[in-house]
């Protein structure tokens, strides 16, 4: 997408935004599906003269399926516009459009029908199948090129809008200071993982993490230093959790959370210890801390989901919060596992059961 502030990036290569968009459209993928070699030759001549670089030609719907699906429904080839003959041997153009549009990945890809049959019934079937327009035979160069340019532009705008929406959604889900997930997205993610847990009961763990004596830190070093501290802690937490579904989030203030799907008690304890060690390794001075360390430290509450239909995700949060409270009561700079009568932040007590 070209924003006003990006104009300079186009000016230095001598392109206006409109010309850049037109040239970009000519690099988009066009697929022609027609059982006439003559039509292929005619369109190849038109497109070549107009500067379209990426045009594929196939003689049947079956070949089209191979082209766009790579013989594997899970991997779709990129295609931005499909020109489809209605009347073909084997699978008809209308049936082909139905199958293509049944795949969510191609809902936004425009399909233009090519046909000598302009009867109302035929065109209605084509539109009902998912076609957006039709071109009549015999083909006329000006009509073909104008329609193609128009639909590629719409396709381009659709892609740019989706990208912009994705970027906006990421911003909505991120904490502005630390650039990790915010509380809103934490709630969404935990609800999703809890539903997955209830369906198939894989282990699910939650860690609540609080910076020890953070108010004292702010009072001593100032709020700018406090912000830097929060960003460093967030970076550490992001580095600790590496699997795609793991989530590090800022829960609020100086409190963070880690959602750990498919992580049992032993795995959660290992992560808690890794968090303590990683924060300690930052060696952020904290002269007013009374944890026994002269550096910034954290306390961690660990909770593991159990098969209790009455608890819900809020119950998991409550358990990890209670464990965090007990870690603080025990002197901070340690972790506590929900349900344990004693926990001193030393994972050695779990070595016998965790191996």
């Amino acid at each position: 997408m070209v924003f006003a502030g990006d104009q300079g990036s186009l000016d230095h290569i001598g392109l206006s935004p409109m010309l850049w968009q037109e040239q970009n459209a000519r690099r988009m993928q066009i697929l022609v599906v027609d059982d006439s070699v003559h039509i292929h030759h005619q369109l190849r001549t038109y497109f070549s003269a107009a500067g379209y670089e990426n045009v594929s030609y196939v003689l049947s719907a079956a070949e089209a399926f191979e082209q766009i699906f790579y013989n594997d429904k899970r991997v779709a080839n990129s295609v931005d516009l499909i020109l489809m003959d209605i009347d073909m041997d084997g699978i008809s153009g209308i049936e082909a459009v139905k199958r293509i549009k049944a795949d969510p990945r191609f809902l936004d890809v425009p399909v233009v029908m090519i046909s000598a049959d302009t009867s109302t019934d035929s065109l209605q079937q084509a539109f009902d199948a998912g076609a957006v327009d039709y071109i009549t035979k015999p083909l006329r160069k000006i009509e073909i090129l104008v329609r193609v340019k128009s639909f590629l532009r719409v396709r381009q705008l659709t892609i740019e809008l989706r990208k912009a929406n994705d970027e906006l959604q990421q911003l909505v889900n991120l904490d502005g200071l630390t650039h990790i997930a915010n509380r809103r997205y934490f709630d969404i993610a935990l609800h999703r993982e809890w539903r997955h847990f209830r369906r198939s009961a894989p282990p699910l763990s939650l860690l609540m993490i609080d910076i020890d004596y953070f108010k004292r830190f702010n009072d001593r070093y100032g709020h700018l230093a406090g912000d830097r501290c929060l960003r460093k802690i967030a970076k550490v937490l992001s580095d600790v959790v590496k699997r795609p579904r793991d989530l590090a989030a800022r829960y609020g203030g100086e409190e963070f959370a880690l959602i750990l799907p498919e992580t049992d008690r032993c795995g959660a304890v290992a992560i808690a210890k890794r968090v303590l060690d990683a924060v300690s390794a930052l060696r952020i001075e904290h002269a007013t801390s009374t944890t026994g360390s002269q550096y910034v430290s954290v306390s961690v509450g660990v909770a593991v989901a159990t098969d209790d239909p009455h608890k819900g995700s809020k119950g998991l949060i409550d358990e990890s919060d209670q464990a965090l409270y007990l870690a603080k009561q025990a002197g901070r700079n340690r972790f506590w596992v929900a349900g344990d009568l004693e926990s001193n932040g030393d994972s050695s007590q779990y070595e016998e059961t965790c191996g």
Side-chain angles (χ1 to χ4, degrees), residues 18 36 44 49 92 97 140 159 182 197 204 217 229 239 317:
M18 184 173 295
S36 168
R44 188 175 282 110
S92 71
V97 175
R140 292 175 293 177
I159 293 171
N182 57 20
F197 167 75
L204 172 63
F217 182 90
C229 176
D239 290 342
I317 294 174

Side-chain angles (χ1 to χ4, degrees), residues 325-337:
Y325 171 79
L326 292 173
K328 291 179 179 181
Q329 290 294 103
R332 307 184 190 237
N333 192 18
R334 69 193 64 224
F335 68 84
W336 197 287
V337 180

Side-chain angles (χ1 to χ4, degrees), residues 116-184:
D117 180 4
T118 59
S119 66
T120 301
D121 288 345
S122 179
L123 295 178
Q124 187 62 57
Q125 289 180 50
F127 290 135
D128 289 344
V132 295
D133 203 350
Y134 69 93
I135 298 173
T136 58
K137 296 179 181 179
L139 302 180
R140 292 175 293 177
K141 180 178 179 180
I142 184 64
E143 182 181 15
I144 287 287
L145 295 181
V146 168
R147 298 281 182 87
V148 166
K149 180 179 179 180
S150 175
F151 281 112
L152 286 180
R153 179 64 183 134
V154 171
R155 170 67 171 166
Q156 190 176 31
L157 290 173
T158 301
I159 293 171
E160 291 172 355
L161 180 60
R162 185 184 300 118
K163 180 180 178 182
N165 285 337
D166 289 344
E167 291 173 350
L168 179 61
Q169 190 61 49
Q170 284 188 344
L171 291 176
V172 169
N173 292 333
L174 290 181
D175 175 66
L177 176 65
T178 62
H179 298 146
I180 63 173
N182 57 20
R183 172 66 182 273
R184 173 185 177 277

